[in-house]
Amino acid sequence: MAMSKRQRAQYIRFAQYGVLIVVILLVAFLADWGQIRRAFFNTEIAASMFPNVITVALKNTIIYTALGFGFGLALGLVLALMKLSSVGPYRWIATVYIEFFRGVPALLVFIGIYYGVPIAFQLQFPPLTTVMLALGGVGAAYMAETIRAGIQAVPKGQVEAARSLGMSQGRAMITIVIPQAFRIILPPLTNELILLTKDSSLIYILGLFREQYELTKFGRETLSRSPSLTPILIAGLCYLIITLPLGYLSRYLEKRTGGKKVSVV
Amino acid sequence: MSDICVEITGLKKSFGPLEVLKNIDLTVNRGDVVCIIGPSGSGKSTLLRCVNVLEEPNGGKIVVNGTELTDPDVDIDRARTKIGMVFQGFNLFSHLNVLNNLMVAQRKVLRRSESEAREVALRNLDRVGLRDKVASMPAQLSGGQQQRAAIARALSMDPEVMLFDEPTSALDPELVGDVLGVMRQLADEGMTMLVVTHEMQFAREVADKVIFMDGGYIVEEGPAADVIGNPQEERTQSFLARVLDPTHHGPKDPE
């Protein structure tokens, strides 16, 4: 049958809504809502988690993430500069580091740092330092590539202007290039922070004390004492308290830097 | 101090197999305005960028303000503070406002105090007529304003010579005059200037010496009235005919 363009568009839209409604009805009828409510929405268990889920678990997740991000950013900057270095061995070391830590599961890295560092160097870090090294060490590998791309995205003319005013290469890098590079990479860097927030769940492997629990460990711990999945739901919602605003921030920054002229040529 | 500000002898520069500058000799006297003209690809921008060693020459000698910049042991950063450079693309630091653009090198390189740097910056903004734009970000300025701010930035270092690399080529036609006006004023104040430009009228009126370059050589040099008004070399004649009277020529024959 011959359809006009408008008829066809209407027909396709109709079909799409139809499929959507069928799937929703299917799920609604097949799911056992009573069970789901009992499993995930046990208000008693949920209430028992407060206030510790906020004052301990959420707080610790934020602290661990911030420490890891801070260390990762610093190490990532060093790695990025090494990667851009004119000294060959610096480039190789940075490349090996980045490829290794990006290519290996974070969980393995955490285990390696937790058990490996004390063996290798005969020293035992306090837990917070271990968390910082583990999370930051992995984050640095991702951030290094982002920072390198940001540095290279700064127009060459900026360096030429700085050099022609008598700035040394290092001075131009610190005063002119790096500040501009960070403006450029703010949105992707915010995304790294979100990923790191979620990766902080893996540090349960470090065997923390009760007061050191972060959200995932706290949720699992509560889970083991209660016949309900409610703790997982609560923990998950707490992650969203961190990640949703960050995601919003990232998109906002992207829009802002995207609309603004970064360079003038 | 001697009367010679820039002295270039036997300058050679190649990019890979491409020879861009083939044995250039050039002298700029203190207080002189020298305009370099020529077709694109003739090496004029490269020559200018060699004067402050933004491009590393492959051969020859460059002496500016009595310092040999081609000496491998020279403190090039120090020498560059005395050589102001203005770019075609302005290259204002996009993360700093106008005042900080003018202050950052004074503070970090010359180690001037905050108040001295600010004073020098404001004085130079006055010279280019941008006093009211101190707090603006570069992106908020027109091209002509950006270029004038860039000139003020270079002047804030108290240079002994200013290099201009096609300073008006990226500007809308109605903004060219502002920038040329500032440059003419600088010339009148006695600044030594080396200007790569396509503005023939500026060259004719302001330059003490005009240099015509083609194919990596200086083809002709002399007073503006001679080189632009009465060129002797055939290549200069055909270039000027095209530039000064562009509508009366067919497309250039392939060589």
Side-chain angles (χ1 to χ4, degrees), chain A residues 6 8 22 31 42 74 107 118 122 129 135 139 144 161 179 181 184 197 222 224 239 254 257:
Chain A
R6 190 172 58 170
R8 187 173 304 147
V22 168
N42 187 321
L107 191 59
Q122 295 300 317
T129 311
L135 269 179
I184 296 170
T197 307
T222 319
S224 67
Y239 276 107
E254 205 160 340
T257 48

Side-chain angles (χ1 to χ4, degrees), chain B:
Chain B
M1 202 170 268
S2 85
D3 268 319
I4 293 172
C5 186
V6 178
E7 189 171 22
I8 296 170
T9 39
L11 178 64
K12 290 186 177 65
K13 173 67 188 175
S14 307
F15 295 110
L18 185 68
E19 250 189 309
V20 182
L21 298 177
K22 305 162 185 166
N23 207 15
I24 300 278
D25 295 315
L26 170 65
T27 305
V28 181
N29 290 326
R30 200 163 295 281
D32 271 5
V33 176
V34 175
C35 283
I36 306 172
I37 61 173
S40 59
S42 59
K44 47 193 197 309
S45 279
T46 306
L47 169 60
L48 196 76
R49 292 162 59 85
C50 280
V51 175
N52 69 352
V53 203
L54 275 185
E55 301 291 354
E56 194 84 44
N58 298 113
K61 198 168 147 183
I62 299 169
V63 180
V64 181
N65 304 323
T67 309
E68 190 194 330
L69 303 186
T70 33
D71 177 354
D73 290 325
V74 78
D75 182 352
I76 188 68
D77 296 331
R78 191 187 172 83
R80 281 188 183 131
T81 61
K82 291 282 161 211
I83 309 173
M85 178 122 185
V86 175
F87 300 87
Q88 182 178 351
F90 325 133
N91 297 354
L92 287 177
F93 303 131
S94 57
H95 64 304
L96 301 176
N97 69 17
V98 169
L99 184 63
N100 284 324
N101 259 280
L102 270 65
M103 284 175 65
V104 63
Q106 292 190 68
R107 299 275 290 133
K108 304 282 184 190
V109 179
L110 301 181
R111 302 268 163 213
R112 285 179 180 160
S113 70
E114 168 98 33
S115 59
E116 187 191 359
R118 179 186 303 271
E119 194 187 312
V120 172
L122 292 177
R123 176 156 31 91
N124 283 300
L125 281 177
D126 268 336
R127 279 169 97 175
V128 301
L130 286 176
R131 181 62 180 257
D132 56 330
K133 299 291 182 191
V134 278
S136 301
M137 295 304 283
Q140 298 169 317
L141 302 180
S142 74
Q145 290 169 333
Q146 289 191 48
Q147 192 60 297
R148 283 186 283 147
I151 293 172
R153 177 177 68 180
L155 291 175
S156 295
M157 304 296 282
D158 296 324
E160 297 189 14
V161 54
M162 288 279 287
L163 312 176
F164 294 85
D165 187 6
E166 301 199 28
T168 57
S169 296
L171 296 177
D172 290 334
E174 78 272 22
L175 302 175
V176 169
D178 293 347
V179 172
L180 291 182
V182 167
M183 289 168 63
R184 175 193 280 268
Q185 173 197 323
L186 263 185
D188 291 344
E189 289 167 14
M191 176 62 76
T192 312
M193 294 164 59
L194 201 50
V195 186
V196 171
T197 188
H198 292 293
E199 301 291 336
M200 290 306 145
Q201 200 179 338
F202 177 83
R204 206 193 315 240
E205 292 175 13
V206 180
D208 298 292
K209 179 155 88 173
V210 171
I211 288 172
F212 173 71
M213 281 184 73
D214 194 15
Y217 293 105
I218 292 179
V219 176
E220 193 165 353
E221 66 176 293
D226 293 353
V227 177
I228 298 177
N230 183 23
Q232 301 301 306
E233 299 286 334
E234 200 227 308
R235 277 191 286 178
T236 319
Q237 289 164 0
S238 81
F239 170 76
L240 285 169
R242 274 166 204 290
V243 173
L244 298 174
D245 192 11
T247 52
H248 289 104
H249 294 268
K252 196 173 177 180
D253 292 329
E255 285 172 18

Side-chain angles (χ1 to χ4, degrees), chain A residues 4 8 17 55 124 127 136 164 176 185 227 231 233 262 264:
Chain A
S4 76
R8 187 173 304 147
Y17 276 112
T55 55
Q124 186 75 52
S164 74
I176 304 301
I185 60 171
L233 181 76
V262 178
V264 186

